[in-house]
Amino acid sequence: MSGTTREESAAPAPEVRTLGVVGAGQMGGGIAHVAAASGLEVVLFDVQVGALDKARATVARNMERQVAKGTLDAAARDAALGRIALAPEMAALGACDLVVEAATEREELKARIYRDLAAHLRADAILATNTSSISVTRLAAATDRPERFVGMHFFNPVPVMQLVEVIRGIATADATVAAVEALAARMGKTTAVAEDFPGFIVNRILLPMINEAATALNEGVGTVAAIDTAMKLGTNQPMGPLQLADFIGLDTCLAILRVLQEGTGDPRYRPSPLLVKYVDAGWLGRKSGRGFYDYREDPPRPTR
């Protein structure tokens, strides 16, 4: 339990000028991209130097696409890339006003990161998690600053998706929420504030749809192509639920459904046996080359 008093927890949060990002994967790199493009100094940390180099190359490549499309000029691209510092040591995060943890969706890993961060962060720094489903209240309890801990859930791909879910844990101070909303606005994002319930807003609604699509496929209601075409054209969605599941990652979809099932005790969130089977086979979607579609072929071929 933190020893912070109510008066201290209600104190204004610092203006965010330097943003730390823990984890240089797809999400962490995307967060670093939009933060640097918005004028923030960014410290990107990962224990694997190779992951840092890969993230920087991906950010540079994505910014180059923006230059080609005319949404970013070359000078702004160069300046933004110059604002991203690669940090193989966690101590480099000590100068940050806010740190976003974007590690793999494993609670024990996140808790370990928070324990390690405690020795380096300033007392007034905010700590945010990019979790898509884990209880923010429970994660906050593993930190030394529950009042300055908040969910800041970006969506993939971060440079394209406009939403940031801001999730308030039971101890999160109003000033912390306000600071994160202001930061998201500076990064060109729109926020939706959610209370700390399983799945928050988007995944609470989205994952049952994906799960039902997998169940319909398993029962032979339609093929992969038929289900995705029907949902795209029948509900005016940019991609069908099975294609979207592949994009998210079937392992991530399964993990969120299990959080929903465990957190609510409601059997309607029971994962589709077909989804479980695909994950067991290592067919995780685009990132593994196969999921509901086979991405080793061009165009991707439905696997059912």
Side-chain angles (χ1 to χ4, degrees), residues 29 45 49 88-89 113 117 152 155 160 167 175 180-181 184 190 199 235 247 249 268 271 300:
F45 164 76
V49 175
E89 300 293 336
I113 288 170
L117 277 170
M152 193 175 187
F155 292 79
V160 175
I167 302 98
V180 169
E181 287 190 290
T190 298
T235 62
F247 190 81
R268 64 180 166 161

Side-chain angles (χ1 to χ4, degrees), residues 93-281:
L93 298 169
C96 297
D97 303 303
L98 186 149
V99 173
V100 179
E101 166 269 306
T104 303
E105 195 76 341
R106 297 201 332 261
E107 187 167 346
E108 69 279 4
L109 171 63
K110 292 177 185 290
R112 186 165 68 247
I113 288 170
Y114 305 151
R115 287 193 295 271
D116 293 343
L117 277 170
H120 304 292
L121 298 187
R122 299 198 322 254
D124 65 340
I126 293 171
L127 181 55
T129 176
N130 185 54
T131 184
S132 57
S133 61
I134 300 171
S135 167
V136 170
T137 296
R138 198 164 64 240
L139 290 176
T143 76
D144 63 341
R145 61 194 68 219
E147 296 85 2
R148 294 182 180 271
F149 187 90
V150 66
M152 193 175 187
H153 179 207
F154 292 83
F155 292 79
N156 186 38
V158 179
V160 175
M161 300 295 282
Q162 293 301 301
L163 180 68
V164 171
E165 276 185 315
V166 179
I167 302 98
R168 181 195 296 269
I170 195 170
T172 306
D174 291 343
T176 301
V177 173
V180 169
E181 287 190 290
L183 173 62
R186 177 171 179 178
M187 296 166 74
K189 305 300 183 185
T190 298
T191 58
V193 178
E195 295 300 320
D196 188 22
F197 289 96
F200 317 134
I201 295 172
V202 173
N203 285 329
R204 177 72 173 261
I205 297 168
L206 174 64
L207 265 296
M209 180 186 72
I210 288 174
N211 197 44
E212 190 61 28
T215 298
L217 177 65
N218 194 38
E219 293 176 355
V221 176
T223 63
V224 169
I227 290 169
D228 275 352
T229 298
M231 291 303 292
K232 281 193 291 186
L233 301 183
T235 62
N236 199 30
Q237 297 182 42
M239 65 175 69
L242 300 174
Q243 182 186 6
L244 178 58
D246 275 358
F247 190 81
I248 294 169
L250 302 192
D251 53 338
T252 300
C253 292
L254 179 58
I256 295 170
L257 283 164
R258 284 175 169 161
V259 167
L260 286 167
Q261 184 183 30
E262 180 181 347
T264 64
D266 194 326
R268 64 180 166 161
Y269 298 115
R270 182 179 71 89
S272 163
L274 182 61
L275 177 63
V276 175
K277 185 182 295 185
Y278 271 48
V279 173
D280 286 346

Side-chain angles (χ1 to χ4, degrees), residues 36-91:
S38 70
L40 292 163
E41 298 294 327
V42 178
V43 179
L44 180 59
F45 164 76
D46 199 291
V47 292
Q48 298 182 4
V49 175
L52 291 170
D53 293 336
K54 182 179 178 181
R56 184 178 179 82
T58 300
V59 171
R61 187 166 58 249
N62 289 338
M63 286 187 176
E64 187 57 41
R65 290 197 187 101
Q66 291 178 305
V67 172
K69 292 177 181 177
T71 58
L72 186 71
D73 64 49
R77 173 203 59 201
D78 294 343
L81 288 172
R83 285 191 285 268
I84 300 175
L86 304 183
E89 300 293 336
M90 188 176 279

